[in-house]
Amino acid sequence: MHPDFKQWTTECLALTESFLEKRLPTSDCAPTRLHEAMRYAVLNGGKRIRPLLSFAAGELGDADKTRVVVVSAAVELIHAYSLVHDDLPCMDNDTLRRGKPTCHIQYDESTALLVGDSLQSLAFQLLAEPAVTDEPQAQLKMIQQLAVAAGSRGMAGGQAIDLDSVGKILSLPELESMHIHKTGALIRVAVILGASCSNKLTQDQFKQLDHFAKCIGLAFQVIDDILDAEASTAALGKTAGKDAENNKPTYVSILGVTQARELAHELRQKAEESLNQFGAKALRLQQITDFIVQRNF
Amino acid sequence: MHPDFKQWTTECLALTESFLEKRLPTSDCAPTRLHEAMRYAVLNGGKRIRPLLSFAAGELGDADKTRVVVVSAAVELIHAYSLVHDDLPCMDNDTLRRGKPTCHIQYDESTALLVGDSLQSLAFQLLAEPAVTDEPQAQLKMIQQLAVAAGSRGMAGGQAIDLDSVGKILSLPELESMHIHKTGALIRVAVILGASCSNKLTQDQFKQLDHFAKCIGLAFQVIDDILDAEASTAALGKTAGKDAENNKPTYVSILGVTQARELAHELRQKAEESLNQFGAKALRLQQITDFIVQRNF
């Protein structure tokens, strides 16, 4: 990772962490166990790709970072809630997340359920705050966009397709459609909302940006599948090899590792082409794209 | 029920039903099973007290019904999501709701989990739509109010306190605090958001209205506890006697039925006093209050 990029990510993530730290209810505030568990689920590291994407997209229109941080936190709360619910026994039944026991293991199932529910509410609460933009009409649109991305035609819908696909043989387009919903929708909205914190982008630029986000969302998933097949549990901080064990269709199970790697690089190229028109302002988005494809955790 | 009140409720509920019917994704839209289950969970009757409260509060400032209907639907979606999650095995583990199998019995646990998650997103999506008010700034505040009412310091927090209280002896104030969160927060926000669809009320009137809503929220719960102890499963459309069976503290277990009834009537009086200043425009809120205390289901 380039030292300058490293420093930029450190700064952005410090902003997001300190905002989340401040806005999550403290664990001495009733109901204390729920609030402690919410903080456990959110303030436990993770790659924070979505917040980084929001900040990087914000730079395209020189958005104020004190605005982008709210968006980045809202999107990360939706992501964190989805992980807590996905790990539940009735879903992926996973016990390890980011190197620590999953929320329902550390606490209990009912607490984990309420943690996810409450984190989703908190995301919309933050995104409706006056700090986000001077244009309340635009802000309402951003709330709608996050709600659609999170809901049954976005992330939650992708999760439903995923559950339904266990043990089935999917075609490549079917697998792609699942991921466009399951992880893609939230990655796209992280980019779009970050860019929406300024009002300098044209409709056409938003379209280009959305295409960029779609490509890196898929690339992210392809790499995830490769890592699940190849990396160790220790390196990932979550249980490796779960996909094969659960008989889940993945890019690796359909294409094999070599072709999956080729696909990731192709997606990276397409993503980078979509950034061309933004010139130097797209530097951070380019660097994140490289990171997504080259990461080993 | 007064025939005129009966007709008013029928009209309001028809508006809410048809709006929900139109805005819930159809079950031929992918992911089909999730969408079918979302419709099952929402379009299955219920008392629809919260939508009625929104409409009745809207009348205080002559709010446009085409606006109130959006608010009523958003609040009802939050309520419906909470029922689906509350019925899950890791929570109340209930099999019957509104006379039909609960969502996870009719479908499965993972679908029910995603149904609840998606309904919450949809609520915020609807409330962010342009139709709600001409004042986007006020609308952002309404979204915040719904998010706070639904979240860890509102409904979800009340659910956490509830789970934590099983098998414990609560004092009356502790029980009250639980219900102010668990059911009270959403009832209050249903009233406040309905009234917010017009911009004719003063800050003081909102305060009075909030006190009204707090009283009827508690009265609603007291009656619920009495019915759970006295009515049959057939009459309730949900499993009766669950509270005692689950060793849950209730108004009946703490006060006995007679004193619980007295408390309900006292709360009704306080609620009605808060409505005095609104004069004839509060007719529907008064009628709903009577209905809440006199209902037998």
Side-chain angles (χ1 to χ4, degrees):
Chain A
M1 203 186 271
H2 195 283
D4 162 72
F5 177 57
K6 177 85 187 151
Q7 192 189 333
W8 179 83
T9 63
T10 306
E11 279 167 18
C12 294
L13 295 189
L15 286 175
T16 305
E17 291 300 315
S18 104
F19 185 83
L20 285 168
E21 161 74 41
K22 218 159 48 190
R23 301 309 304 277
L24 281 160
T26 53
S27 51
D28 56 359
C29 163
T32 53
R33 186 176 163 86
L34 175 61
H35 287 148
E36 190 190 302
M38 285 169 72
R39 298 178 75 86
Y40 179 84
V42 176
L43 304 172
N44 65 351
K47 288 179 284 292
R48 306 280 198 227
I49 287 288
R50 293 158 194 79
L52 289 179
L53 283 169
S54 296
F55 280 107
E59 296 206 347
L60 298 178
D62 301 312
D64 187 333
K65 279 194 180 178
T66 60
R67 293 187 164 171
V68 183
V69 74
V70 186
V71 161
S72 80
V75 174
E76 190 66 10
L77 287 171
I78 294 286
H79 176 58
Y81 117 64
S82 79
L83 296 183
V84 172
H85 280 188
D86 288 0
D87 286 336
L88 283 171
C90 71
M91 304 288 282
D92 286 355
N93 192 21
D94 221 325
T95 56
L96 201 61
R97 168 73 66 186
R98 297 172 179 169
K100 293 198 296 180
T102 49
C103 193
H104 67 278
I105 296 290
Q106 182 72 15
Y107 295 89
D108 53 73
E109 269 187 68
S110 51
T111 300
L113 178 64
L114 293 170
V115 162
D117 291 345
S118 302
L119 293 178
Q120 177 166 197
S121 305
L122 185 58
F124 289 106
Q125 183 189 329
L126 296 182
L127 199 54
E129 288 189 353
V132 179
T133 152
D134 287 333
E135 298 176 71
Q137 203 70 66
Q139 194 174 341
L140 287 170
K141 189 178 168 196
M142 290 163 76
I143 293 169
Q144 279 192 278
Q145 288 173 315
L146 183 63
V148 171
S152 70
R153 280 174 285 201
M155 183 185 74
Q159 191 64 29
I161 301 171
D162 188 12
L163 286 168
D164 198 45
S165 72
V166 172
K168 286 189 186 162
I169 296 168
L170 295 190
S171 67
L172 197 58
E174 284 171 336
L175 186 71
E176 190 174 288
S177 162
M178 176 179 94
H179 290 307
I180 283 175
H181 292 88
K182 193 183 159 194
T183 51
L186 203 59
I187 285 178
R188 280 160 91 168
V189 87
V191 171
I192 296 298
L193 295 190
S196 302
C197 288
S198 79
N199 54 1
K200 293 193 189 145
L201 269 60
T202 64
Q203 272 315 96
D204 182 63
Q205 285 180 316
F206 270 110
K207 221 176 130 186
Q208 286 293 317
L209 201 55
D210 189 50
H211 184 252
F212 160 79
K214 189 179 158 184
C215 293
I216 58 156
L218 284 174
F220 186 86
Q221 192 56 53
V222 176
I223 298 293
D224 236 32
D225 287 354
I226 294 172
L227 290 173
D228 184 77
E230 295 202 325
S232 69
T233 297
L236 293 181
K238 61 182 179 183
T239 316
K242 283 285 284 187
D243 296 335
E245 189 188 310
N246 290 343
N247 203 11
K248 274 196 177 184
T250 71
Y251 284 102
V252 171
S253 73
I254 293 181
L255 295 175
V257 168
T258 311
Q259 269 197 64
R261 282 216 178 274
E262 274 166 28
L263 176 59
H265 284 280
E266 208 175 283
L267 287 164
R268 183 206 340 216
Q269 264 181 346
K270 281 189 190 168
E272 284 174 344
E273 280 162 23
S274 315
L275 294 179
N276 279 344
Q277 66 166 297
F278 296 103
K281 285 194 186 296
L283 172 68
R284 301 307 179 193
L285 286 176
Q286 274 160 2
Q287 289 174 325
I288 295 176
T289 307
D290 291 341
F291 169 71
I292 283 177
V293 179
Q294 288 160 6
R295 75 199 163 96
N296 52 12
F297 64 94
Chain B
M1 203 186 269
H2 195 284
D4 163 71
F5 177 56
K6 176 87 189 149
Q7 194 190 328
W8 178 82
T9 62
T10 306
E11 280 167 18
C12 294
L13 295 190
L15 286 174
T16 304
E17 291 300 314
S18 104
F19 185 83
L20 285 168
E21 160 75 41
K22 217 159 51 191
R23 300 308 306 277
L24 281 159
T26 55
S27 51
D28 56 359
C29 162
T32 55
R33 186 177 163 85
L34 175 61
H35 287 147
E36 190 191 302
M38 285 168 73
R39 298 178 76 85
Y40 179 85
V42 176
L43 303 171
N44 65 352
K47 290 179 282 292
R48 306 281 197 225
I49 289 287
R50 292 158 194 79
L52 289 178
L53 284 168
S54 296
F55 281 107
E59 296 205 348
L60 297 178
D62 302 309
D64 188 334
K65 279 193 181 179
T66 59
R67 292 185 167 174
V68 183
V69 74
V70 186
V71 161
S72 80
V75 174
E76 190 65 9
L77 287 172
I78 295 286
H79 176 57
Y81 118 63
S82 79
L83 296 183
V84 172
H85 280 187
D86 287 1
D87 287 335
L88 283 171
C90 71
M91 303 288 280
D92 287 353
N93 192 21
D94 222 324
T95 56
L96 201 61
R97 168 73 65 186
R98 296 170 178 171
K100 294 199 295 181
T102 47
C103 193
H104 67 278
I105 296 291
Q106 183 70 15
Y107 296 89
D108 53 72
E109 270 186 67
S110 52
T111 301
L113 178 65
L114 293 171
V115 162
D117 291 345
S118 302
L119 293 178
Q120 178 167 197
S121 305
L122 185 57
F124 289 105
Q125 183 189 329
L126 296 182
L127 199 55
E129 287 189 354
V132 179
T133 154
D134 288 334
E135 297 176 74
Q137 202 70 68
Q139 193 172 341
L140 287 170
K141 188 179 169 194
M142 291 163 75
I143 293 169
Q144 277 193 280
Q145 288 173 316
L146 182 63
V148 171
S152 71
R153 278 172 285 199
M155 184 184 75
Q159 191 65 30
I161 301 172
D162 189 10
L163 285 168
D164 199 45
S165 72
V166 172
K168 286 189 187 163
I169 296 168
L170 295 191
S171 67
L172 198 57
E174 284 171 335
L175 186 69
E176 190 174 287
S177 162
M178 176 179 92
H179 290 307
I180 282 175
H181 292 87
K182 191 183 160 193
T183 52
L186 203 59
I187 285 177
R188 280 160 90 167
V189 87
V191 171
I192 296 299
L193 295 190
S196 302
C197 289
S198 79
N199 54 1
K200 293 191 188 145
L201 270 60
T202 63
Q203 273 313 97
D204 183 62
Q205 285 179 315
F206 269 110
K207 219 175 133 187
Q208 286 294 316
L209 202 55
D210 189 50
H211 185 250
F212 160 80
K214 187 180 160 185
C215 292
I216 58 155
L218 284 173
F220 186 87
Q221 192 57 52
V222 176
I223 299 293
D224 236 35
D225 287 353
I226 294 172
L227 290 172
D228 184 78
E230 294 201 326
S232 68
T233 297
L236 293 181
K238 62 182 178 181
T239 317
K242 283 285 284 187
D243 295 336
E245 190 189 308
N246 290 343
N247 203 12
K248 274 196 179 184
T250 72
Y251 284 101
V252 172
S253 73
I254 293 181
L255 295 174
V257 169
T258 312
Q259 270 198 66
R261 282 215 179 276
E262 274 167 28
L263 176 60
H265 285 279
E266 207 176 284
L267 288 165
R268 181 198 354 210
Q269 266 182 344
K270 280 189 192 169
E272 284 173 345
E273 280 162 22
S274 316
L275 295 180
N276 279 343
Q277 65 165 299
F278 296 103
K281 286 195 186 293
L283 172 67
R284 302 308 179 192
L285 286 175
Q286 272 159 4
Q287 289 173 325
I288 295 176
T289 307
D290 291 341
F291 169 72
I292 282 176
V293 179
Q294 288 159 8
R295 74 199 163 96
N296 52 12
F297 64 95

